[in-house]
Amino acid sequence: MSNETTTPSRLYFPGIASSAFEHPLDRAALEALRRTPGFDKMLKTLSEWGMERYLRAAYTGDAIRVSPRQCSRLYKDLREACGVLDVAEPEFYLMQNPHPAVYFFGMQRHTIVLTTSLVDLMTDEERLALIGRELGHIKAEHMLYRTMAILLAEVLANASKSVLLPGAILTEVVLYALFMWFRRSELTADRAGLLVAQDVDVCIKGLLKLVAGSQKLADDLNNDEFLKQADVLDDMEEDLISLYFKFSMVRWQTHPFPAYRAREIKEWSANENYLRILRGDYPRENPDAGIRVCTACGALVSNVTFRYCPECGAPVDPITVPSGIGRN
C-alpha cells in the first residue's frame, strides 16, 4: 500500500514551533528585542497588574465571553484553530462594534476579541483564518515584544524633543525600525492564518473584506484584481517623490498595505516551506509531538499527515488535539 495519505478535511500540526511560519524579517527583529536583558520580566509584571487586568475587567463587563455554552460555534472555531497550531486556548470575547476586527492582548493570560461586525461580514472559513492569525501572534510571542516596542517608541519620541539634531535623527531611525518590525510581525500572523485555513483564496478574501467592509459587495470582490494593486504600488517607486510619499504613509503604520499582505500570503502558499509543513515536515517545540504507534506492527509513525503505517500499510489512529478535535 502506498505511503501517501489522502488529504483530510483539515491538517493538524502537533508540536509545531513558531519558527516554522515566522517571516524571516520578523524573526531577525525579534531576536534583537530578545537580547534586551530584564525588560521582558518587568513588562510582564506591569501588564499583569495594570492594563491587562483593566482590559479583562472591561471586556468581562461589556462583552460576551465565548465558551462551550455561549456562542458555541465561535468557540468551536477557536478550539479547532488552537488544535491546528497547537496553541493553548486563550480567553475569547465577542463584542458589539460596527468596525470588523479581531485582535489579541495579554501576556499572562492571552485574550482574543472578535467584533460582531466581523462575524457578519466573514464566512465561517474566513473567520477561522482570522482567528488563526491572532493565534499566530500568540504562538510567536508577539505581545511581549509589541509592548516593548510601544514603550520604547514612546520613550524615544519624548526624548527626541529635548535632543540636538543628530540625536533627533537617530531617534527617528530607531522609531522607524520599531514600526517596521510591527509590520513584519503581521506577515508572520498572516502565515499562521493560512496554516489554519489551508486555503489561500479564503485568506485573501478575508483580508479583502476587511479592506472593502461591505456585506452587499462581498460576493463581487476579486482576489486577483486585489493582488494586482501590490504590483501597482511597486510601480509607484519609480521616482523619488512617489517613494517619499510611500515612506511617509507607512513609517508609523503597524500594518503593511493590505495588497502587499495579500501578495505575501499568495507567494508563501506556493513556497516549499509551507508545502513541507502540509506534508508534516516542520520544526517542533516537542520532538515527540504527533508521533503515533502502529497497532499492527508497532512502528513509530512520526509524520502527522500519514493515515497509514509506512511499514505495513495498516490504518493508524488520527491525530487528536488537546481540545478533543481530530481530523475527520
Side-chain angles (χ1 to χ4, degrees):
M1 183 177 292
S2 171
N3 293 344
E4 294 295 324
T5 69
T6 57
T7 302
S9 58
R10 196 178 308 280
L11 297 171
Y12 290 81
F13 311 108
I16 189 171
S18 62
S19 60
F21 57 86
E22 281 177 342
H23 194 283
L25 297 176
D26 171 25
R27 188 181 309 145
L30 268 180
E31 287 305 314
L33 289 172
R34 285 169 178 157
R35 289 194 291 268
T36 307
F39 203 27
D40 54 347
K41 293 182 180 179
M42 179 190 73
L43 285 173
K44 285 181 180 179
T45 302
L46 291 175
S47 177
E48 174 64 14
W49 287 96
M51 184 57 68
E52 189 170 331
R53 287 195 175 191
Y54 174 84
L55 289 174
R56 185 165 288 107
Y59 286 117
T60 301
D62 291 333
I64 292 174
R65 181 166 182 182
V66 177
S67 73
R69 294 175 298 277
Q70 184 72 273
C71 298
S72 59
R73 287 174 57 195
L74 292 179
Y75 184 71
K76 182 179 180 298
D77 288 344
L78 175 70
R79 301 195 77 177
E80 183 168 6
C82 286
V84 172
L85 294 177
D86 200 0
V87 178
E89 184 181 318
E91 294 184 7
F92 192 20
Y93 288 89
L94 175 68
M95 68 176 299
Q96 174 70 34
N97 194 303
H99 178 65
V102 56
Y103 50 91
F104 78 105
F105 70 90
M107 288 186 245
Q108 300 293 331
R109 295 163 63 186
H110 300 305
T111 302
I112 291 178
V113 181
L114 190 71
T115 65
T116 51
S117 54
L118 184 135
V119 174
D120 294 338
L121 183 63
M122 301 291 168
T123 65
D124 292 347
E125 287 296 307
E126 290 161 0
R127 184 178 65 242
L128 184 66
L130 290 171
I131 292 172
R133 73 178 309 281
E134 298 309 309
L135 292 175
H137 279 306
I138 293 173
K139 184 88 174 180
E141 299 182 336
H142 283 164
M143 186 62 207
L144 171 62
Y145 299 102
R146 282 182 168 224
T147 304
M148 289 175 65
I150 291 171
L151 184 56
L152 287 173
E154 184 173 347
V155 170
L156 291 172
N158 290 331
S160 66
K161 300 174 183 177
S162 57
V163 296
L164 298 176
L165 182 59
I169 294 174
L170 178 61
T171 298
E172 287 284 315
V173 171
V174 174
L175 287 175
Y176 178 74
L178 289 172
F179 279 93
M180 181 180 290
W181 171 73
F182 260 82
R183 294 189 293 275
R184 290 170 176 174
S185 73
E186 294 300 327
L187 302 179
T188 290
D190 286 336
R191 291 180 173 190
L194 177 58
L195 284 174
V196 171
Q198 295 164 24
D199 187 326
V200 65
D201 291 327
V202 165
C203 293
I204 294 175
K205 182 57 70 67
L207 183 59
L208 183 49
K209 284 183 177 180
L210 285 177
V211 176
S214 171
Q215 181 63 50
K216 290 184 178 180
L217 295 177
D219 295 334
D220 199 26
L221 297 174
N222 188 303
N223 285 3
D224 292 334
E225 291 300 309
F226 186 45
L227 289 168
K228 290 178 182 178
Q229 290 182 219
D231 297 330
V232 174
L233 281 169
D234 286 341
D235 292 339
M236 292 180 179
E237 296 182 359
E238 293 180 350
D239 58 83
L240 290 177
I241 295 178
S242 297
L243 194 61
Y244 172 74
F245 286 155
K246 284 184 62 178
F247 170 79
S248 299
M249 285 187 287
V250 304
R251 62 175 178 165
W252 308 133
Q253 287 184 185
T254 56
H255 288 63
F257 285 130
Y260 280 153
R261 290 173 58 190
R263 188 172 65 182
E264 284 276 348
I265 296 170
K266 183 71 173 179
E267 291 177 351
W268 198 62
S269 71
N271 187 281
E272 182 59 28
N273 288 337
Y274 173 69
L275 299 177
R276 278 202 299 265
I277 295 173
L278 295 186
R279 295 195 295 265
D281 179 14
Y282 55 84
R284 288 170 166 81
E285 294 175 340
N286 175 8
D288 297 327
I291 293 180
R292 294 160 291 166
V293 178
C294 176
T295 56
C297 69
L300 296 179
V301 182
S302 60
N303 192 304
V304 298
T305 67
F306 285 3
R307 302 182 74 183
Y308 299 94
C309 175
E311 298 296 329
C312 70
V316 293
D317 294 333
I319 292 293
T320 57
V321 297
S323 63
I325 299 174
R327 289 188 302 214
N328 297 325

